[in-house]
Amino acid sequence: MKKILITGACGQIGTELTIKLAEMYGDENIITTDIQKPPAVIREHSKFEYLNVMDTDQLAKAVVDHDIDTIFHMAAILSATGEKNPKFAYDINMQGLMNVLEVACRKRVKKLVTPSSIAVFGPDAPKQNTPNEIPLNPTTMYGVTKVAGEKLLQYYYLKFGLDTRSLRYPGIISSETAPGGGTTDYAVDFYLHAARGENYTCFVEKDTVLPFMYMADAIKALIDLANADNNRLRRRVYNVSAMALSAEEVVTSIQQYKPDFHCDYNADSRQKIADSWPDSISDKEARDEWDWSPDYDLDKMTREMLERLATK
Ligand code: AKB
């Protein structure tokens, strides 16, 4: 990876991905793009351009102008927003990805890395240790677009030789940029409220279990997969796992350090989305084929999250 373009760079994952890639490859080699106004940290560590992934010409121009060899495509609509406006989620997630794939092929980009999600799994999937390779029957529009996206990555790899890579993210917990429109956002909200000394009403039941990962591991996974030896990869898409946590377990972990933090539970329509996803997923293939293993467990994550939020 010499010249890297990141779409959706101002989002929850894009922001921290930018900082890490800039540290590894140099600020001058990172081109960040988004339709949002960038935070100072993005301007500091990259060249920022306003770019809408729905505009193929703008995308192609950025790739040519900066001689891009690797794209991290992070722009996407998440599950909860997707259920409020399925057509919008379809347009951004499907057409956005198609535009990136087409431009990458036409402009001879070498590698395209883009996240998928545990949302590819539906209620028929095994709830525990869901395997990498099983029938994918999601019941959300977000999940549908992620399944179709995975198939497109495979298609462009086989047909055009574009080196596409993806991993199925669980809910990501992070301190720097708040997530937006996801079902797993409640877990980040716990920390943000606890750090501000506020209580929180959670929108899923306390015994709701979902797979989660701390941001540092999420970034490590994406960059390790991007740099993995292609000869070892037997597929284009990987489950990655770190922790399976109930909402209540996260709250209890925070209460060890913030005993006054209190959480109520009042489930809304997002409960149905959470219930359609696995409790935990198996990442055996990621471990075997590119040596994936997470660094953070719940307590380590809670300590670091609260420390970082305290300095903000
Ligand atoms: C969401 O909740 O929509 C995302 C995801 C699990 O992909 N965080």
Side-chain angles (χ1 to χ4, degrees):
M1 298 195 279
K2 290 198 183 100
K3 276 275 180 164
I4 300 169
L5 182 133
I6 306 173
T7 71
C10 301
Q12 185 199 13
I13 304 172
T15 309
E16 296 200 41
L17 178 66
T18 298
I19 296 167
K20 189 68 194 172
L21 288 173
E23 190 186 304
M24 293 172 73
Y25 297 97
D27 297 357
E28 65 287 359
N29 294 316
I30 312 298
I31 312 304
T32 47
T33 69
D34 208 306
I35 54 169
Q36 294 182 50
K37 193 168 174 218
V41 71
I42 292 275
R43 287 207 188 274
E44 240 169 72
H45 292 291
S46 66
K47 288 181 197 154
F48 177 81
E49 283 188 14
Y50 178 93
L51 190 153
N52 187 338
V53 289
M54 301 302 276
D55 185 337
T56 319
D57 290 341
Q58 227 184 6
L59 192 58
K61 185 172 182 316
V63 166
V64 171
D65 283 354
H66 299 287
D67 198 16
I68 297 297
D69 61 67
T70 303
I71 299 178
F72 283 82
H73 176 47
M74 309 303 290
I77 301 300
L78 299 185
S79 56
T81 304
E83 286 317 282
K84 279 194 202 136
N85 196 342
K87 170 73 167 62
F88 177 57
Y90 178 87
D91 288 345
I92 302 295
N93 293 0
M94 293 313 315
Q95 197 56 52
L97 177 61
M98 271 304 283
N99 291 348
V100 172
L101 284 163
E102 274 300 302
V103 166
C105 275
R106 273 194 268 131
K107 303 301 175 197
R108 304 201 190 291
V109 168
K110 292 201 180 84
K111 201 175 279 178
L112 168 62
V113 186
T114 187
S116 184
S117 162
I118 54 162
V120 294
F121 299 115
D124 62 328
K127 280 276 170 218
Q128 310 296 336
N129 284 321
T130 312
N132 212 95
E133 309 298 339
I134 56 158
L136 302 173
N137 295 305
T139 49
T140 61
M141 178 54 92
Y142 175 60
V144 168
T145 64
K146 287 295 179 188
V147 173
E150 290 186 1
K151 302 291 176 204
L152 283 170
L153 295 182
Q154 167 87 355
Y155 179 80
Y156 274 74
Y157 178 70
L158 294 175
K159 175 102 179 163
F160 301 112
L162 175 64
D163 186 347
T164 54
R165 302 179 183 203
S166 184
L167 42 75
R168 293 176 181 146
Y169 271 144
I172 307 295
I173 297 180
S174 68
S175 55
E176 300 311 298
T177 306
T183 302
T184 56
D185 293 4
Y186 63 87
V188 180
D189 289 344
F190 291 155
Y191 289 94
L192 296 178
H193 282 72
R196 291 197 293 254
E198 294 167 2
N199 295 327
Y200 182 67
T201 302
C202 178
F203 56 77
V204 299
E205 299 294 355
K206 63 179 170 190
D207 56 356
T208 306
V209 178
L210 284 173
F212 281 99
M213 183 178 284
Y214 186 49
M215 180 62 88
D217 277 332
I219 300 298
K220 181 176 89 150
L222 202 60
I223 297 177
D224 283 359
L225 174 60
N227 284 328
D229 177 357
N230 201 36
N231 293 321
R232 286 183 65 197
L233 304 184
R234 299 274 162 271
R235 65 210 82 236
R236 306 326 297 170
V237 183
Y238 290 85
N239 284 1
V240 280
S241 176
M243 314 168 225
L245 302 172
S246 71
E248 193 177 30
E249 274 175 287
V250 184
V251 170
T252 306
S253 169
I254 294 171
Q255 283 168 336
Q256 278 180 271
Y257 304 95
K258 296 269 175 193
D260 293 337
F261 176 57
H262 177 76
C263 186
D264 287 324
Y265 297 87
N266 186 13
D268 67 15
S269 59
R270 288 168 281 190
Q271 182 72 50
K272 194 169 158 210
I273 304 178
D275 289 344
S276 75
W277 293 346
D279 293 359
S280 64
I281 61 175
S282 161
D283 57 7
K284 183 181 180 308
E285 286 77 2
R287 288 173 185 266
D288 289 352
E289 294 172 29
W290 48 277
D291 308 319
W292 158 248
S293 100
D295 293 329
Y296 285 79
D297 61 14
L298 176 57
D299 187 53
K300 189 172 172 193
M301 172 175 77
T302 296
R303 277 187 279 120
E304 192 166 307
M305 279 291 289
L306 293 175
E307 263 166 42
R308 282 172 171 254
L309 289 170
T311 63
K312 277 179 169 267

